Amino acid sequence: MILSYELMDNPGYEYEEEVETQFDACVRLQAIEPFCTWWALSFDNGDIVMSS
């Protein structure tokens, strides 16, 4: 799974992190979500699982 996001202090740059499970993505998001303009979790094929 891929967690993609954009941070408020670096607009226009999309970060991507590989995560094993949706739970792992949620744990990561707890730390960064207040600083994100948007985020999305997708399967490796690009299908969106959840997003902001």
Side-chain angles (χ1 to χ4, degrees):
M1 300 180 99
I2 305 294
L3 177 63
S4 305
Y5 56 92
E6 182 178 299
L7 296 175
M8 289 179 214
D9 65 348
N10 195 7
Y13 183 80
E14 181 178 327
Y15 295 86
E16 290 188 349
E17 295 183 28
E18 189 169 337
V19 292
E20 292 293 320
T21 65
Q22 188 171 344
F23 177 79
D24 294 334
C26 290
V27 169
R28 177 67 177 131
L29 282 169
Q30 285 181 332
I32 64 170
E33 189 171 20
F35 310 106
C36 292
T37 54
W38 62 267
W39 59 265
L41 179 64
S42 60
F43 290 112
D44 294 337
N45 66 4
D47 290 343
I48 300 291
V49 177
M50 61 183 188
S51 64
S52 61

